[in-house]
Amino acid sequence: NKYLYKYKKSTILIFGLTSIVWSELIKKDDLNINLKNSILVHGGGWKKITEVNATKKNFKKLLNSKFKLNRSHDYYGMVEQTGSIFFECEYGLFHTSIFSDILIRDKNFKIKKNKQKGLLQTISILPSSYPGHSILTEDIGSIHGINNCKCGRGGKIFKVHGRLLKAETRGCGNVDDN
């Protein structure tokens, strides 16, 4: 609160794991803070909090109602693949960069058409010291266009719909509460 008061006229950048923001900020009843001038960038741990019925919609709604924070941006990426960090735009869609790409594959690994759900494959030109340039994830995604998002950003536009059923929960956001 002292920090927020001191910098109340500044824009504050908050960065954290989605699951930790949920458990240590959103779900705490004793916090009375105003984050109106803040921007939250978060990612990781969605699989963990979907078990308690957290959705992107109620995540953002609670941030706004409890803390007046209305600039929240999810990102999708993995430490296993340098260069594949996909940021969510204000329309809730992720975008590839000039260094990355994605493909959506069916259960036989054939490429799916736009707006069809399938396994998300991430591709990056940056990894060179290990074979991390192409990773088939256990996440379900769908492509929704190229260079045609209302936000004006370029690249492939895609959604992440969650993880395959019965896939092992793992990743950087899978932190222990203890």
Side-chain angles (χ1 to χ4, degrees):
N1 280 327
K2 287 179 189 178
Y3 179 87
L4 292 172
Y5 182 77
K6 182 177 179 179
Y7 296 101
K8 65 183 174 189
K9 294 185 180 182
S10 302
T11 300
I12 298 169
L13 178 64
I14 304 167
F15 177 84
L17 293 169
T18 304
S19 58
I20 300 297
V21 171
W22 177 265
S23 65
E24 300 302 318
L25 189 65
I26 293 175
K27 296 315 280 181
K28 296 288 183 183
D29 291 329
D30 57 345
L31 292 178
N32 185 19
I33 54 178
N34 184 333
L35 299 173
K36 184 171 102 177
N37 293 330
S38 301
I39 300 169
L40 170 65
V41 176
H42 64 93
W46 276 110
K47 294 166 284 299
K48 189 173 187 174
I49 65 174
T50 54
E51 296 167 1
V52 293
N53 295 320
T55 64
K56 280 190 178 195
K57 187 176 180 179
N58 66 6
F59 185 90
K60 289 184 178 204
K61 184 178 177 182
L62 287 167
L63 283 171
N64 187 284
S65 65
K66 288 183 81 169
F67 309 112
K68 298 178 178 54
L69 193 154
N70 61 11
R71 292 184 290 174
S72 169
H73 300 280
D74 191 8
Y75 68 87
Y76 177 77
M78 58 206 77
V79 72
E80 297 88 353
Q81 188 174 62
T82 303
S84 289
I85 305 265
F86 306 100
F87 284 94
E88 176 188 52
C89 73
E90 53 270 31
Y91 293 96
L93 300 165
F94 294 103
H95 294 258
T96 61
S97 73
I98 60 171
F99 303 106
S100 62
D101 196 6
I102 64 147
L103 299 171
I104 305 298
R105 297 193 176 270
D106 67 17
K107 64 182 179 179
N108 297 314
F109 306 112
K110 295 193 185 325
I111 294 177
K112 299 201 63 140
K113 294 180 182 175
N114 281 0
K115 298 190 180 177
Q116 293 182 330
K117 292 181 184 179
L119 291 173
L120 205 149
Q121 179 180 355
T122 60
I123 301 166
S124 174
I125 64 169
L126 297 178
S128 61
S129 63
Y130 65 100
H133 60 282
S134 180
I135 296 177
L136 184 63
T137 73
E138 294 177 322
D139 295 324
I140 304 296
S142 58
I143 296 172
H144 290 264
I146 301 174
N147 298 325
N148 63 344
C149 188
K150 293 177 191 175
C151 75
R153 292 176 186 87
K156 266 188 194 167
I157 305 152
F158 68 101
K159 290 182 180 181
V160 178
H161 301 282
R163 180 147 293 198
L164 278 174
L165 292 177
K166 300 183 182 181
E168 182 181 341
T169 301
R170 58 179 166 221
C172 296
N174 187 29
V175 293
D176 192 357
D177 289 335
N178 299 322

